[in-house]
């Protein structure tokens, strides 16, 4: 598979104008997604696995919000996490995730609206590569917190395209001021897909928060 085709698929996703076109772009990308991201040198699964391993108990119920093809779920399964649940907006991505055999449950659902889970349901909610341009707004964090148990963890990446420009930085701070969570650690921003070319340069940071009891 040529680099031009990979780059075009990446640009289709970042150029999606609404949820419908984003879903379509991911459906069309699903078959080549793992291959393409591996070729781009995608770093999120390795960074995520390290931080999840540091903070989240093996027996915790974990929601992978925006699980895509299940790349991260597969890695977590190898590390002994076997109570994984996933959601994604793309049927094509969910079909690929099912082949990994890492998830107890996979459902079609998107960040940005009401999530069909009870309050205080998961021991951890993780989301990588989703809180980025054209994908999920800052308000997504409200629902992620709602479905996390007190004392549970929220671990997610934020891209440089949205952290300050789309007010995610303000949202993180505001939720702390409200007493809903506190920050445990964060990484510096790093090139998340260093092989994708200068025109597609995106940096991400990974954040770890703990939900507070109220």
């Amino acid at each position: 598979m040529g680099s031009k085709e990979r780059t075009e698929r990446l640009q289709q996703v970042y150029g999606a104008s609404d949820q419908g076109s984003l879903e379509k772009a991911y459906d069309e990308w699903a078959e080549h997604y793992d291959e393409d991201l591996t070729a781009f040198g995608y770093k999120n699964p390795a960074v995520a696995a390290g931080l999840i391993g540091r903070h989240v108990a093996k027996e915790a119920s974990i929601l992978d919000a925006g699980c895509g093809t299940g790349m991260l779920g597969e890695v977590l399964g190898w590390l002994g996490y076997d109570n994984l649940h996933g959601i994604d907006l793309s049927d094509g991505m969910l079909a690929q995730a099912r082949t990994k055999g890492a998830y107890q449950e996979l459902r079609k659902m998107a960040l940005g609206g009401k999530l069909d889970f009870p309050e205080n349901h998961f021991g951890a909610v993780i989301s990588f590569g989703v809180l980025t341009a054209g994908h999920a707004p800052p308000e997504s964090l409200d629902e992620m917190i709602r479905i996390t148990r007190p004392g549970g963890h929220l671990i997610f990446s934020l891209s440089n395209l949205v952290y300050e420009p789309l007010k995610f930085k303000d949202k993180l701070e505001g939720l702390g001021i409200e007493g809903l969570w506190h920050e445990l650690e964060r990484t510096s921003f790093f090139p998340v897909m260093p092989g994708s070319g200068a025109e597609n340069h995106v940096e991400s940071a990974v954040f770890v928060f703990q939900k507070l009891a109220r």
Side-chain angles (χ1 to χ4, degrees), residues 2 14 16 21 35 52 95 142 149 152-153 190 195:
Y14 281 116
S21 58
E35 176 188 354
I52 292 165
D142 296 321
R149 295 171 186 158
H153 296 84
F190 58 89

Side-chain angles (χ1 to χ4, degrees), residues 120 141-142 145-146 148-152 154 170-183 209-214:
N120 303 330
L141 294 166
D142 296 321
I145 290 175
R146 182 185 68 80
T148 302
R149 295 171 186 158
L154 298 100
D170 294 341
K171 184 66 173 178
L172 301 185
E173 293 172 354
L175 292 168
I177 292 170
E178 290 180 52
L180 294 174
W181 67 7
H182 69 101
E183 183 177 328
F209 283 84
Q210 186 171 39
K211 181 174 175 176
L212 298 173
R214 300 186 73 184

Side-chain angles (χ1 to χ4, degrees), residues 39-51:
F40 290 148
Y42 188 50
K43 295 183 179 181
N44 268 347
V47 178
L51 289 172

Side-chain angles (χ1 to χ4, degrees), residues 32-116:
H32 301 288
Y33 184 84
D34 288 7
E35 176 188 354
D36 288 353
L37 263 63
T38 298
F40 290 148
Y42 188 50
K43 295 183 179 181
N44 268 347
V47 178
L51 289 172
I52 292 165
R54 181 180 297 169
H55 292 282
V56 181
K58 292 290 194 301
E59 63 273 13
S61 59
I62 300 174
L63 177 67
D64 187 356
C67 63
T69 61
M71 290 180 73
L72 177 54
E74 185 175 39
V75 172
L76 292 177
W78 295 335
L79 295 176
Y81 291 91
D82 59 6
N83 193 0
L84 301 176
H85 306 259
I87 61 171
D88 202 89
L89 88 166
S90 163
D91 287 318
M93 291 288 190
L94 289 169
Q96 294 294 320
R98 289 188 183 95
T99 69
K100 304 290 198 300
Y103 295 90
Q104 298 282 332
E105 174 188 33
L106 288 163
R107 297 173 61 183
K108 186 173 183 177
M109 208 178 301
L111 290 177
K114 180 81 170 177
L115 296 178
D116 188 21

